[in-house]
Amino acid sequence: QVQLVESGGGLVQPGGSLRLSCAASGIVFSLYAMGWYRQAPGNQRELVASITSVSKSNYADSVRGRFTISRDNAKNTMYLQMNSLKPEDTAVYYCNAESTVFRNGYWGQGTQVTVSS
């Protein structure tokens, strides 16, 4: 059974930091491209950052320079370090795993990030 479990969300003041984690099980983690998406109320789900199986990363313009995506294949875990958080970063953040080798993909259940004073 495949599981992607996000953690690390919460309430933070503007300018603060959070570190999200996504722990994967049931997949060959090292063969999957991973990504963080977010969805705010009334908005579509959008890509925040992605990282390939060889750790090439990509960022949405809105977070470039503030967020850092990384992965630890030995721990089957992906991370998102979020710095200089803004109220507009408030959303549910979802972990995604995609494989062109296995032609499948999976989603986590999401973790809430709220940036507010």
Side-chain angles (χ1 to χ4, degrees):
Q1 182 180 0
V2 177
Q3 283 192 311
L4 300 177
V5 180
E6 300 99 334
S7 61
L11 173 64
V12 64
Q13 292 187 341
S17 298
L18 283 175
R19 189 194 195 202
L20 304 183
S21 299
C22 171
S25 59
I27 61 172
V28 183
F29 183 77
S30 61
L31 296 182
Y32 278 73
M34 302 296 295
W36 287 101
Y37 289 72
R38 67 186 180 188
Q39 187 168 18
N43 290 356
Q44 290 187 332
R45 191 172 296 189
E46 62 176 1
L47 176 67
V48 175
S50 62
I51 187 166
T52 69
S53 59
V54 294
S55 294
K56 181 177 180 180
S57 58
N58 182 54
Y59 297 92
D61 289 343
S62 59
V63 307
R64 187 174 291 112
R66 299 188 297 122
F67 292 8
T68 303
I69 191 171
S70 61
R71 64 189 296 162
D72 185 337
N73 288 345
K75 296 182 178 180
N76 288 357
T77 302
M78 172 181 64
Y79 305 97
L80 185 68
Q81 178 67 43
M82 304 186 294
N83 298 329
S84 302
L85 282 160
K86 305 175 181 180
E88 52 263 43
D89 295 318
T90 295
V92 178
Y93 284 69
Y94 296 91
C95 170
N96 173 261
E98 295 285 341
S99 172
T100 56
V101 173
F102 301 111
R103 297 184 182 180
N104 55 23
Y106 303 95
W107 289 94
Q109 81 288 350
T111 185
Q112 176 70 47
V113 172
T114 302
V115 185
S116 175
S117 55

